[in-house]
Amino acid sequence: DHMWRVGRVGLFPLSRHELTHESVEPPVRPFINFKWVKYNHYCLQVPCDFECQPNSIQAGNTGEYISEAGDTLFLHVHEAFTLDQLVQLKRDHIRWVAEEYKLQLVREEKQFYVLRNQQRQKRMNLTGDMAAWHCWEIIIMTPSATLICILLRRQFIPPVCNVAQDIAVILRCPSDNQGSLPKDLLIRAHLIADSFCPASTTVIPYRKIVKAKLDGLRFDDDSFDWIKSHLKLNTRWQNYAKAFLKAIIRIFMDGNPKWFSENLLKSSALRFEEPGSDEEADGEPKTPPEDIDGILREVERYRSDVLPEDREVKNRWMSRVSRYFAWAVDGGVLQSKFTLDFMVEHITLLPDAQYKKALSALRFLMHFRSVDMTKPYDDSPIVQHLKEGSLRSWTFNDRVMRAILTQDYLRKRLGRHNELEYVECLANLLDSNAGTHVKAYICRIFMERNDEKKKEEDDSISLAVVPSLMQILDTGGPFLATYASAALVNLSDGNDAVKMKLFNHNVAGLACKNVKTKDDELTCYTLMLLVNLTKQPHHRNVLANSGFLPLLYDLLTSSYHLCKSTPGLGGVSARSVAGSAMKVRLLTQVCILIGHFSIDEVYRQFFLEEETFGHTVRCLLWMFDESEPGGTLLCKVMFALKQLCKDRADQMQNIGAHVVGRLVERLGGKSHGREFERTSEFLFQSILLLQMLVTHATNCCIIEGRKDYWEKDKDFDAYMDDLLALPQTQKINAYEDRIRKLKEDVQQAISKGLPPV
């Protein structure tokens, strides 16, 4: 413990004590200023100043504790579910539970920022609990309080080891009005969560029941590894899985002996295990057959006791066998020496005879089967299944499907020129019962389509997948909706047909719905999608009528102060929040959308009128001062300011008085005396904003009067002349003409006589 916390070697303390005559294990003493409490069959350590608060139902053991300083601790122990039930509830990973908690914690908060949202490792096991623990940490700061939510999942709970239980530890601390995390609050929260342990330490696993479930293949892939390492138990079908893998390796070795060494089949990992006494009593054969068909016949014969009319039991059994064999083939036995990725990648290179055998094995591992388990297993080609539009009525193995997608097997089978069929197959998978990771990978395929490929394609190819992505955007949850939004950003870029299709599928309503979730990543990609969709007046009108403008204004006013970019901070301070890259990206999209809507006079008035969105310009001016010089956010802030002051002399004067001096200084490569890199985008947006502002004589007066923070003996013309020598300006169309026109406008205003400032 000393080396873990301090990071250096220390002397081990030596103490002497007389041997006890009773075999009673001494309890673990709590940390200093902490005490043990019990709640719902669990023990944990909480600070001594926290007292349990009664409620209307019970006086104690309520799970709510309040300290003298006003800090509140909430404990919530969820009902235990089996691993299969968690999959059906779409809570098979603790990350999905964390998303639900995050949405609930910020639902009523208008202003908040997420300081941390990531996986964490639980660091204590004070009662020697054999179950596996997973942990997720969320830190949210609001104007009134700091919320630390640590979610724990206790998995493989004995005695049966097929159950998981979720626990939430929520610590709420009132804000100190300094924008920083209270001292030692995070350490206390970690100690509380890390000390969580079951109250009973005598529960031992029922090995016979676990073994029976193993033989029935009632566990998932991760469970096989955990049970083997912790309980030293394995299913009786491990030899059949090894024989199945051996048969596949022989097929590939017959096709091309160079792929594998002959010693691979003799490796210890593929050596058959001796059957146990109970297996011998059941009459199980000691050595499985060597061919794939014989192996499957032997495995299916295991359920020969099933009545002929009860096909569902046997079908479910074979479905579990295919899942277990897929786990064994995909590194479960040989690790990286043989995986599904290798099998799928090289299967098309086999000769015809070996190819047919390997393809038959791959189909069994994929195991396309109707959700109606009374129907038999369908051995049709995989591509034929994917072409069908009713995949929701079928089940298959997600592990094998991921390998097929990652190794481009589907595209190879369809042909490189059948892009439409390929996209339609992917759309069918998005509409299917596939798992979260399969659908996320499909979204990534569309996210990574480059511009050259999109130009070569027909619009029908992109349109084919839009309805499926919109369905995920609506019902997929924050995680998948983020991926779907990112995919639609790429598909809609420069494609009017896709944009029209999106509006036909109510993209405006779904965008408002996703922005209201207050998930930063989902909101950011939703705004990026809307940036593509707001380039036409009628599209902007549809979005405005759906109620999007108040949401956009709310995003601006609640997040504008987080525009600072402060990289490299590893602490948990407000500065690290202000430097959040996601917040900067989100504000960048907000500024672009404000600029797009300000093209229309009616919406420009909304942003400028005090009765509606009167703080828009003030927030933008604050970001102009505080955002990173030369950064993308600053460029988009200038774009929004330029659009807002169009045809508004009062706004030109107001904005110009604030930005003209600093803008000229930044064009010289310095901001508040510090040098920064000037990008071509920054130079372009700066000149456009200046061109708009110098049409008002007052701003020309500011330029003529110079600023104290400008370089000595350097006027406006000198700043402009220096810009022409920059290599970045060569990328800007007609930049020299813009500079010349800008100088002429200023000189013309000066020659006419400047008004007093």
Side-chain angles (χ1 to χ4, degrees), residues 355-356 358-370 376-388 391 394-396 400-401 404 409-410 413:
Y355 172 74
K356 291 180 180 179
L359 185 60
S360 176
L362 184 64
R363 289 176 184 172
F364 176 76
L365 296 177
M366 175 65 77
H367 213 74
F368 265 104
R369 184 185 289 277
S370 172
Y377 157 65
D378 191 345
D379 194 25
S380 301
I382 296 174
V383 177
Q384 178 180 331
H385 280 292
L386 296 179
K387 287 182 178 180
E388 298 177 359
L391 283 181
W394 294 83
T395 63
F396 50 85
V400 184
M401 184 60 72
I404 284 178
Y409 173 82
L410 182 59
R413 295 299 301 160

Side-chain angles (χ1 to χ4, degrees), residues 667-726:
L667 283 172
K670 291 185 178 181
S671 178
H672 299 281
R674 296 182 180 179
E675 295 185 356
F676 67 93
E677 182 180 357
R678 292 165 289 179
T679 63
S680 57
E681 174 70 12
F682 167 76
L683 295 174
F684 180 67
Q685 294 295 342
S686 300
I687 293 300
L688 288 182
L689 179 57
L690 270 179
Q691 283 183 315
M692 178 68 70
L693 295 178
V694 297
T695 58
H696 197 281
T698 305
N699 296 327
C700 296
C701 180
I702 296 175
I703 293 175
E704 177 65 16
R706 302 179 71 253
K707 289 291 185 179
D708 296 337
Y709 45 79
W710 289 10
E711 295 183 25
K712 293 182 179 180
D713 302 327
K714 196 170 184 180
D715 58 6
F716 178 73
D717 289 347
Y719 274 105
M720 296 298 103
D721 293 338
D722 290 345
L723 292 179
L724 297 176
L726 295 176

Side-chain angles (χ1 to χ4, degrees), residues 156-219:
F156 311 124
I157 301 176
V160 186
C161 303
N162 70 333
V163 175
Q165 189 169 29
D166 293 331
I167 303 164
V169 178
I170 304 175
L171 187 60
R172 185 183 186 277
C173 176
S175 176
D176 58 359
N177 296 322
Q178 296 181 359
S180 59
L181 196 63
K183 186 178 180 180
D184 297 334
L185 180 65
L186 188 60
I187 297 176
R188 299 173 80 181
H190 286 171
L191 285 177
I192 294 171
D194 289 340
S195 64
F196 235 100
C197 56
S200 175
T201 61
T202 59
V203 179
I204 59 175
Y206 297 161
R207 297 179 64 87
K208 290 187 176 181
I209 296 180
V210 174
K211 184 64 170 65
K213 286 184 172 292
L214 277 174
D215 293 342
L217 302 179
R218 292 288 184 175
F219 292 99

Side-chain angles (χ1 to χ4, degrees), residues 237 239-241 243-244 247 250-251 284-285 287-302 317-318 321 325 357 360-361 364:
W237 306 109
N239 288 345
Y240 286 84
F244 188 86
R250 289 193 195 97
I251 292 173
E284 290 294 328
T287 304
E290 294 185 357
D291 63 300
I292 292 178
D293 293 336
I295 294 170
L296 297 182
R297 282 195 301 269
E298 289 289 345
V299 173
E300 189 173 9
R301 193 181 302 168
Y302 173 69
W317 161 246
M318 293 306 295
V321 169
F325 281 9
K357 294 179 181 179
S360 176
F364 176 76

